[in-house]
Amino acid sequence: MTSTPLAETNEQDELLPHLARIKEARLTILREMRKLVVGQEEALNQILIGMFAGGHLMLQGPPGTAKTLVIVSLAKVMNLDFKRIQFTPDLMPSDISGTEILEQDQTTGHRVTKFVAGPVFCNLVMADEINRTPPKTQAGLLEVMQERQVTIGGQTYPLPKPFYVMATQISMEQEGTYPLPEAQQDRFMLSIMMNYLTDDQEIEVVRHSTGSTRVVLERVIEGAELLEFTGYVRRVTLPPQIGQFIVDLTCATRPSVAGCPDFVKDYVSWGAGLRASQNIALASKSAAALEGRSVVTIADVRKVIMPVLRHRIGLSFRAEVDRVSIEDLIGKIVAITPTPQGA
């Protein structure tokens, strides 16, 4: 049954107190994170957008830009069960998900199989330098990320809730790395860039990190509360005209679609799929919720377009020759996509 405007208004009114809690949680988390993390304001906000939407995140950037520090600190502030997996060339899929072993039952003397859970059985798993392990092992995360479960020997084991994968990779490093398959990249809601600090920020980090003061992070929210918040985020209203804008934007990245821009045909090998539209919509809802609003605006969409799309579009060889970056391309697509009236 189609909801009436009055029903939608009542739904939004009922939602507002919960969104106020989400907004306050965001401000408190950021305040706590600033005890350790200097700068990176845009990255921190994008990370919270992804987490409150329930999505997995990829953090990229040069060495020393606090990728690991941010993830470890978030686990403490949100009181999440945390495990870190160092991805290396010899890592096996069973090292991630777990394995079955044979052991002898002391009471019967019979041999029985026992499942030994891998490190993914936690709330927040950090896949550190994910591109340093071969695709076979990277694929071990596909079911984990998509279904939030592990299947071994025909038996399915659900993962704890909430569950997040946060991966890191050094964006400019190529030696000894393996490119992530497109299917693997598509499971990450956002690809977030963490860049070098300004001179003043770097001076602040140097002063504090080489001193004797020990920073203690306070617990702000629990995993159960975070899980509750992701439910409220999904109830934020996405106006139809903004939904259409999101789909138009995503379709414009596909060189095989009739009517796509000529520069897309020239510079794009493969465009963004359905998950891109879904994740732009969900991340936009999260951005609105973190501001305490119950309706998505075009400004919310613009906040998340880049981190949602940057890892879902494959550039052609011509783009490399002409030195066209993925950010340049996405910016141009956004610029030519008509903004809906009244949005």
Side-chain angles (χ1 to χ4, degrees):
M1 185 174 68
T2 305
S3 58
T4 64
L6 179 59
E8 289 180 357
T9 301
N10 291 338
E11 164 76 5
Q12 291 172 14
D13 290 343
E14 189 272 332
L15 192 58
L16 286 174
H18 303 296
L19 298 181
R21 288 173 53 209
I22 292 176
K23 180 179 180 180
E24 181 59 31
R26 167 184 167 265
L27 295 174
T28 308
I29 291 167
L30 288 175
R31 189 160 54 243
E32 200 64 26
M33 291 291 290
R34 288 190 188 107
K35 291 180 180 179
L36 270 181
V37 181
V38 175
Q40 306 294 0
E41 294 297 322
E42 184 177 8
L44 283 173
N45 278 296
Q46 289 176 356
I47 289 169
L48 291 184
I49 286 172
M51 292 192 74
F52 278 71
H56 307 298
L57 308 175
M58 170 73 74
L59 273 59
Q60 301 189 69
T65 48
K67 296 183 292 296
T68 300
L69 177 64
V70 164
I71 297 173
V72 173
S73 301
L74 278 170
K76 293 178 181 177
V77 170
M78 297 183 179
N79 196 31
L80 299 175
D81 182 19
F82 171 77
K83 297 285 176 60
R84 176 177 177 174
I85 306 173
Q86 191 66 47
F87 278 63
T88 56
D90 60 347
L91 192 73
M92 298 296 291
S94 58
D95 296 327
I96 298 172
S97 56
T99 187
E100 284 187 333
I101 61 172
L102 269 178
E103 65 177 17
Q104 188 168 350
D105 191 318
Q106 298 298 324
T107 58
T108 65
H110 296 149
R111 289 186 175 183
V112 294
T113 58
K114 176 184 176 183
F115 176 64
V116 179
V120 293
F121 284 84
C122 63
N123 298 125
L124 173 55
V125 58
M126 176 180 172
D128 200 13
E129 296 188 281
I130 190 173
N131 58 336
R132 287 199 170 276
T133 200
K136 175 184 176 181
T137 304
Q138 293 173 10
L141 283 173
L142 284 175
E143 182 187 16
V144 167
M145 295 174 69
Q146 183 65 32
E147 308 297 337
R148 287 173 163 80
Q149 65 183 29
V150 168
T151 302
I152 300 286
Q155 182 70 36
T156 297
Y157 303 91
L159 294 170
K161 295 180 180 181
F163 175 73
Y164 301 94
V165 172
M166 288 196 188
T168 69
Q169 63 179 15
I170 296 175
S171 52
M172 76 282 288
E173 197 166 42
Q174 301 297 326
E175 188 69 28
T177 61
Y178 303 84
L180 266 66
E182 287 78 10
Q184 180 73 62
Q185 293 188 64
D186 203 29
R187 264 61 178 188
F188 289 100
M189 171 178 270
L190 305 178
S191 175
I192 298 167
M193 296 301 299
M194 300 186 68
N195 296 309
Y196 290 120
L197 302 177
T198 65
D199 288 353
D200 290 342
Q201 290 170 341
E202 191 160 339
I203 290 170
E204 185 179 348
V205 170
V206 169
R207 287 181 55 248
H208 285 92
S209 63
T210 59
S212 58
T213 304
R214 181 171 175 268
V215 176
V216 178
L217 294 175
E218 300 294 331
R219 189 171 62 205
V220 173
I221 63 174
E222 303 283 339
E225 192 175 11
L226 185 56
L227 192 63
E228 179 189 359
F229 286 163
T230 61
Y232 294 133
V233 164
R234 286 181 172 271
R235 291 168 57 185
V236 170
T237 299
L238 180 71
Q241 69 272 24
I242 292 184
Q244 183 65 56
F245 173 75
I246 291 170
V247 171
D248 290 345
L249 190 72
T250 304
C251 288
T253 69
R254 302 167 185 166
S256 60
V257 172
C260 86
D262 288 339
F263 68 87
V264 171
K265 295 176 182 177
D266 291 338
Y267 293 133
V268 175
S269 294
W270 42 267
L274 173 60
R275 282 196 188 92
S277 297
Q278 293 171 319
N279 285 320
I280 292 174
L282 187 53
S284 300
K285 289 186 174 189
S286 184
L290 287 167
E291 296 288 345
R293 291 182 283 102
S294 62
V295 181
V296 171
T297 67
I298 200 70
D300 298 318
V301 177
R302 293 186 184 280
K303 283 181 185 177
V304 303
I305 289 171
M306 194 67 73
V308 171
L309 290 182
R310 71 158 49 96
H311 58 300
R312 290 186 163 91
I313 299 173
L315 295 183
S316 66
F317 178 71
R318 181 172 174 181
E320 185 177 346
V321 171
D322 291 350
R323 297 188 177 182
V324 175
S325 71
I326 190 67
E327 286 79 10
D328 294 337
L329 185 86
I330 295 171
K332 197 169 181 180
I333 291 172
V334 172
I336 66 166
T337 303
T339 302
Q341 292 185 351

